[in-house]
Amino acid sequence: MRFDNTEDDEKEDFFENTPPEKPKEPKPPVIPPEDPRYWDREESEWEHLRMGTSRRKRFRILAGICVVLFLLLIFGFKWMFGTRAEQSVAYGYVDNIEYRGKVIKTYEGVLIPYKEIHDTTRVYKEDFDFSTSKTQAAALNAYRNSGRPVKVTYRTYISRMPWRGESLRYVERVDTVNPDSILPPEFNARPRR
């Protein structure tokens, strides 16, 4: 099959007989207020509503600054109040619970980690410092100097807040735990006599 375009040649071309467009009239030059001719020209009734280029530019800059400040505020809020670890668990013995603070009083505690005590290959690193609420502090105080390990569920925050306490860790829940269930069975093997 051959392509034949003889029919197209016989049709009238729509753009052949169109008149050329009239050239646009040039815009009158913008006269600055310092020029005396500025005050002689006629003012339209809508002139007072038109924003000047400098006003428009200032508005855009101000809007941009507001958007940037809003984004920084959101980022700062997330950073200050956000968590590093949602929920973690630690096992250990309660060493101390204190109620301290100058303006905002909080409960601060120290937990001796179970894995640090029973690990004979590594050197003891550090205690588990935490902050907690009044009810959890009362529960932890009951286990202080009892010789029974506890399981604490806590959150680790990125930054300290006065109402959360001095520590980055905030204990949310306290449970009792059986010491035999903390370590794997090979570590709980009793020595033979």
Side-chain angles (χ1 to χ4, degrees):
M1 176 175 204
R2 267 177 121 185
F3 183 69
D4 188 19
N5 61 354
T6 54
E7 291 177 11
D8 290 343
D9 291 340
E10 295 169 4
K11 290 183 182 177
E12 183 181 340
D13 191 5
F14 291 109
F15 298 104
E16 231 173 64
N17 299 326
T18 56
E21 290 183 17
K22 293 179 183 176
K24 293 182 179 177
E25 293 180 16
K27 290 185 177 180
V30 178
I31 302 170
E34 295 85 31
D35 193 350
R37 291 180 296 164
Y38 178 81
W39 304 104
D40 294 338
R41 67 182 175 84
E42 230 178 88
E43 188 176 308
S44 73
E45 64 179 294
W46 305 108
E47 183 72 27
H48 66 281
L49 297 176
R50 186 179 311 160
M51 288 176 79
T53 55
S54 62
R55 273 174 123 187
R56 202 173 297 148
K57 190 174 183 180
R58 275 187 273 153
F59 177 74
R60 286 181 184 158
I61 289 172
L62 185 64
I65 289 171
C66 287
V67 167
V68 168
L69 286 176
F70 182 71
L71 291 174
L72 284 174
L73 184 69
I74 288 174
F75 175 75
F77 185 79
K78 290 240 182 218
W79 184 76
M80 292 294 280
F81 298 109
T83 59
R84 190 178 314 146
E86 280 302 314
Q87 282 196 338
S88 302
V89 175
Y91 298 94
Y93 298 99
V94 179
D95 182 35
N96 192 14
I97 299 287
E98 294 177 354
Y99 184 61
R100 61 180 158 183
K102 293 188 177 168
V103 177
I104 299 175
K105 303 283 188 180
T106 57
Y107 289 92
E108 306 296 324
V110 177
L111 187 81
I112 300 172
Y114 195 82
K115 67 178 181 178
E116 297 285 338
I117 293 173
H118 293 283
D119 189 2
T120 58
T121 58
R122 285 183 244 156
V123 178
Y124 185 80
K125 289 183 191 173
E126 63 179 324
D127 291 336
F128 182 84
D129 297 323
F130 61 89
S131 302
T132 189
S133 65
K134 183 177 183 177
T135 55
Q136 301 305 328
L140 285 165
N141 206 18
Y143 293 107
R144 192 170 84 187
N145 298 329
S146 68
R148 294 187 316 214
V150 292
K151 171 186 168 185
V152 292
T153 306
Y154 66 95
R155 286 181 188 246
T156 304
Y157 288 93
I158 294 172
S159 62
R160 293 174 178 87
M161 289 288 128
W163 54 88
R164 277 198 305 243
E166 296 175 6
S167 177
L168 294 176
R169 298 182 193 112
Y170 187 81
V171 170
E172 296 178 334
R173 186 174 173 185
V174 179
D175 294 321
T176 59
V177 66
N178 183 3
D180 295 333
S181 65
I182 296 174
L183 294 174
E186 61 266 14
F187 291 105
N188 287 333
R190 308 234 184 244
R192 293 183 198 168
R193 292 185 183 191

